[in-house]
Amino acid sequence: MLVYNFVVYILFSISIIYGFYNILNSFDFVKEAYFYTGIFSLIFLNLSLLFSLVKLKNTKDYPKLFGFFSVFWAILHFLNYFVFDRNMQISRLFDDISKRLLESSGFIAFILLILMLLSSFRFFKKIEKIRKLSYLCFLLASYHYFLSPKVPMFWEWSALIVALIYFILAYKRLIIKNK
């Protein structure tokens, strides 16, 4: 079990090294920071939910670990947007969120991620049920990624389709469980 957790931490370390190396060596720092922070957040959220769906005995810690890693990258993604695009002006942030689907879908997914992170701690045990919205969060984050290019290509469609499959499987299981 300890060996498997070590592999997870190595994966996270590789994502940090690879992401920051590419960001620091790019011509357009902000654009590359958007891309890598968003992609790694989406990848780790995907892995977290995949291990939540599969529920293998040796991988019970993975959803939480991958979730923490996803939140780390999502915070960097949001900070990149808030600091470099909105110049840390809350009014400009809320103006974008209220008028643009790309920003609103990403912001809602970000808020859900933060709430799920908080629910991991004992002090916020009362909001534990927010975790049932994790698949909706993944769907919103994938939709945010889908909207990011002018013309969605293979990877954007793939992320959205995977998110829809997870969403359907998870809520189908939840409905069957509650009957």
Side-chain angles (χ1 to χ4, degrees):
M1 179 85 159
L2 189 60
V3 172
Y4 295 122
N5 287 349
F6 181 72
V7 170
V8 171
Y9 287 112
I10 291 294
L11 259 172
F12 179 63
S13 300
I14 289 171
S15 75
I16 289 176
I17 293 166
Y18 182 78
F20 284 116
Y21 174 79
N22 283 314
I23 290 168
L24 294 174
N25 289 320
S26 67
F27 177 72
D28 188 355
F29 170 82
V30 175
K31 182 180 175 186
E32 292 297 312
Y34 269 136
F35 179 75
Y36 286 106
T37 56
I39 283 295
F40 284 128
S41 179
L42 197 60
I43 288 170
F44 284 120
L45 184 57
N46 178 13
L47 290 171
S48 173
L49 296 177
L50 176 66
F51 285 106
S52 287
L53 279 174
V54 175
K55 292 186 180 180
L56 297 174
K57 183 180 176 184
N58 292 336
T59 62
K60 66 179 178 148
D61 295 336
Y62 288 8
K64 196 174 215 176
L65 287 173
F66 283 130
F68 285 140
F69 301 155
S70 177
V71 171
F72 169 80
W73 285 110
I75 289 171
L76 291 180
H77 187 71
F78 174 75
L79 287 175
N80 185 47
Y81 167 74
F82 186 62
V83 171
F84 293 118
D85 273 359
R86 298 299 123 218
N87 298 327
M88 296 193 303
Q89 294 179 359
I90 293 177
S91 61
R92 289 182 69 193
L93 171 73
F94 286 118
D95 186 47
D96 269 0
I97 292 168
S98 66
K99 293 180 182 173
R100 296 191 177 108
L101 196 54
L102 173 69
E103 283 81 1
S104 60
S105 62
F107 188 72
I108 293 169
F110 178 69
I111 294 299
L112 287 173
L113 265 178
I114 295 299
L115 289 173
M116 286 186 288
L117 172 72
L118 291 176
S119 75
S120 306
F121 301 106
R122 285 189 185 143
F123 186 73
F124 295 100
K125 210 63 160 162
K126 291 181 181 179
I127 62 170
E128 189 175 68
K129 293 188 183 209
I130 193 87
R131 292 184 204 160
K132 293 185 191 248
L133 297 177
S134 59
Y135 297 95
L136 176 64
C137 177
F138 183 49
L139 186 61
L140 285 168
S142 296
Y143 186 62
H144 175 72
Y145 175 59
F146 179 80
L147 292 175
S148 61
K150 291 180 182 176
V151 178
M153 301 301 260
F154 174 77
W155 292 111
E156 290 83 9
W157 279 103
S158 298
L160 193 58
I161 290 168
V162 167
L164 278 170
I165 291 169
Y166 284 12
F167 185 81
I168 291 167
L169 288 174
Y171 289 107
K172 182 179 174 185
R173 183 184 292 173
L174 187 66
I175 290 169
I176 291 170
K177 184 179 176 181
N178 287 334
K179 282 188 177 182

